[in-house]
Amino acid sequence: MNILFTNIKELIQVREVSIDFLSGKEMNVLPTIKNAFLLVENGLIADFGTMENCPKTKFKIIDAKGKMVLPSWCDSHTHLVYADNRENEFEDRINGLSYKEIADNGGGILNSAKKLQAVSEEVLYDKSKTRLEEIMHLGTGAVEIKSGYGLTKKAELKMLRVIKKLSDNYPIEIKATFLGAHAVPNKYINDKSGYVKMLIDQVLPAIQKENLADFIDVFCETDYFSVSDTDQILKAGFKQGLVGKIHVNQFTTIGGVQVGVKNNVLSVDHLEEMRNEDIEALIGTKTMPVSLPNCSYFLNIPYTPARKMIDLGLPMALASDYNPGSSPSGNMNFVVASACIKMQMTTKEAINAATINGAYAMNLHNKVGSITRGKLANLILTKKINSYNYIPYSFGNSCIEKVFLKGNEII
Ligand code: NIG
Ligand code: FE
């Protein structure tokens, strides 16, 4: 689709030259052009500048007077393929049960796995596509989706095939992650190493054969998978050509950040519990810290100490963690608002974290995450707003008028 956006009040996140990611003080710089045009040709960003230099074309014109344009959100951590919600656990939580107590009572990840194993691939696809469409309308233009509610070879492959089908059928950019090491299924309750061996010897090669995953993930956490399990699974994934992205420091600090950094993973995600040594381990590395404020909000657990980490020079990405247990929302607008309201990130930092840094955490920074010539025209057109600060300020309200993916309006 070819479009000329004219009279854009402010074109946000303009990068003349493609960058990998932003860290420390750079995160508080958000380049924009006021009174701008943006030319979209064949689904790509072809040109932009101030209105004085606006070209004459026969393209469809969208007059964006009073409105802003920014790159669509890049959500680098979700589990949006799942069979059913877990509202019953929500009631339990309101009644005072913790995440661990709910899991111990037959809820949690194993509950989702039981439900997922029971549904067909077609039903799982239909349920998941509704969630994908929902986040597209909320402005997400690139998303990572994990397996990990299958926990058998058959069900893990079912999940990954659904992710592949979503990717084939929708214009949103999708990356797939194998998270077989999400919880130990009951069958292996006294034989965790047998489960890890099954994942490595049987599931990973099958995934590779069908080319179903980009990344390998592990829930590195007390009562789930240890540092040495994580190390073993990551290395097995690397042998199959997968890149590492891991869950660490959600509830306890057991050395997850360190094992991630040692293995040069692309991102370490969650980071609600961070000791100084965990923060220091990330300095000077290319591993992106990913914060998931929706999870902190929903589970009432600490937020990632993002202010401290950015002040120490680190980068930060923001993602939704959309899943039925700890974040039943994929709304990146709320994520950005929460980062500002609860984590003392500035609007500029939060927008950078939810666009270019999120793109990096999916290895998609050359395709999305900024207004750069040649990148996909995955865009948010806002309603009439006074400043981009209004986006997080008006938390819970939508500032989005339209979303475009590859230059096509999402209806
Ligand atoms: O990222 N922490 C592990 N996995 C998910 C939650 C999974 C669930 O409760 O279903 C998360 O928070
Ligand atoms: Fe997660």
Side-chain angles (χ1 to χ4, degrees):
M1 182 71 167
N2 299 330
I3 309 173
L4 177 65
F5 291 89
T6 59
N7 304 311
I8 303 167
K9 183 175 169 123
E10 199 160 357
L11 180 61
I12 298 164
Q13 185 63 302
V14 179
R15 305 276 171 182
E16 288 284 341
V17 182
S18 187
I19 51 166
D20 290 352
F21 63 84
L22 298 159
S23 320
K25 285 196 168 62
E26 300 166 346
M27 285 201 64
N28 205 26
V29 179
L30 184 66
T32 69
I33 302 177
K34 290 190 171 143
N35 194 24
F37 78 89
L38 174 67
L39 189 71
V40 171
E41 209 170 339
N42 299 323
L44 301 177
I45 295 169
D47 203 6
F48 49 80
T50 53
M51 275 310 285
E52 295 95 82
N53 299 318
C54 185
K56 290 202 168 39
T57 70
K58 294 216 159 67
F59 291 2
K60 174 183 170 172
I61 290 178
I62 295 181
D63 185 354
K65 198 167 184 342
K67 303 168 188 175
M68 306 203 175
V69 173
L70 67 153
S72 55
W73 304 126
C74 298
D75 187 353
S76 67
H77 183 136
T78 82
H79 310 244
L80 69 74
V81 170
Y82 57 85
D84 221 339
N85 291 317
R86 305 207 308 251
E87 295 108 304
N88 53 330
E89 294 180 12
F90 183 52
E91 281 290 311
D92 290 342
R93 182 161 308 109
I94 293 167
N95 291 328
L97 265 65
S98 70
Y99 186 82
K100 183 174 178 343
E101 285 163 337
I102 288 168
D104 290 346
N105 290 349
I109 297 166
L110 295 185
N111 181 9
S112 280
K114 202 156 99 193
K115 291 176 176 182
L116 190 136
Q117 287 163 12
V119 297
S120 68
E121 195 171 312
E122 289 67 36
V123 170
L124 188 61
Y125 177 81
D126 285 343
K127 291 192 174 224
S128 306
K129 84 176 203 265
T130 308
R131 296 181 202 114
L132 188 71
E133 288 170 10
E134 172 196 296
I135 64 163
M136 284 159 57
H137 284 99
L138 289 165
T140 298
V143 64
E144 179 260 17
I145 311 175
K146 300 173 195 297
S147 72
Y149 289 128
L151 310 184
T152 63
K153 179 178 172 188
K154 195 169 155 212
E156 283 294 306
L157 289 172
K158 175 164 70 182
M159 285 191 83
L160 289 165
R161 289 191 192 113
V162 165
I163 299 171
K164 170 120 190 9
K165 198 163 153 198
L166 292 170
S167 168
D168 290 344
N169 293 348
Y170 283 88
I172 182 170
E173 290 299 295
I174 297 182
K175 290 278 190 167
T177 299
F178 173 49
L179 175 58
H182 198 192
V184 181
N186 284 333
K187 189 178 153 196
Y188 288 92
I189 204 73
N190 295 316
D191 182 22
K192 186 174 65 172
S193 58
Y195 181 61
V196 170
K197 191 167 166 7
M198 191 279 289
L199 292 177
I200 293 175
D201 294 347
Q202 295 177 37
V203 192
L204 262 175
I207 289 170
Q208 183 57 15
K209 209 165 143 205
E210 288 185 49
N211 199 12
L212 290 175
D214 304 289
F215 304 123
I216 176 103
D217 195 345
V218 181
F219 186 18
C220 180
E221 182 59 62
T222 306
D223 294 335
Y224 290 82
F225 295 89
S226 68
V227 164
S228 100
D229 298 330
T230 304
D231 193 51
Q232 193 189 351
I233 296 163
L234 282 175
K235 289 194 163 73
F238 300 158
K239 274 202 194 132
Q240 304 282 354
L242 305 182
V243 170
K245 278 173 73 65
I246 54 175
H247 283 70
V248 297
N249 294 43
Q250 183 176 6
F251 301 109
T252 57
T253 50
I254 60 170
V257 173
Q258 287 76 1
V259 73
V261 165
K262 194 184 88 186
N263 282 289
N264 292 314
V265 295
L266 183 59
S267 72
V268 283
D269 303 24
H270 270 289
L271 315 177
E272 289 89 344
E273 296 290 338
M274 290 293 275
R275 302 167 298 188
N276 286 339
E277 63 210 83
D278 302 321
I279 297 177
E280 280 155 20
L282 286 162
I283 294 173
T285 73
K286 287 199 175 315
T287 296
M288 178 63 66
V290 179
S291 174
L292 312 168
N294 275 6
C295 173
S296 300
Y297 177 80
F298 189 75
L299 293 186
N300 257 318
I301 60 175
Y303 288 82
T304 304
R307 184 70 273 138
K308 184 173 173 188
M309 292 169 71
I310 295 170
D311 288 345
L312 284 167
L314 286 175
M316 185 62 62
L318 290 166
S320 74
D321 198 16
Y322 195 0
N323 78 76
S326 67
S327 173
S329 161
N331 189 342
M332 283 295 286
N333 306 285
F334 187 75
V335 168
V336 168
S338 301
C340 297
I341 297 162
K342 293 292 187 183
M343 289 157 54
Q344 292 78 47
M345 285 172 70
T346 65
T347 305
K348 293 180 173 98
E349 288 170 340
I351 292 177
N352 278 322
T355 55
I356 190 65
N357 282 7
Y360 175 85
M362 292 185 274
N363 255 337
L364 282 174
H365 47 289
N366 291 326
K367 256 184 149 175
V368 291
S370 63
I371 304 294
T372 303
R373 290 176 191 86
K375 282 196 178 183
L376 296 179
N378 288 11
L379 308 164
I380 293 171
L381 173 68
T382 70
K383 295 174 183 165
K384 287 189 178 176
I385 56 176
N386 277 332
S387 80
Y388 57 70
N389 284 321
Y390 189 75
I391 298 171
Y393 165 82
S394 67
F395 81 97
N397 298 322
S398 174
C399 295
I400 297 178
E401 183 167 291
K402 284 180 179 160
V403 176
F404 298 82
L405 294 181
K406 299 188 175 131
N408 291 309
E409 185 184 335
I410 298 301
I411 316 225

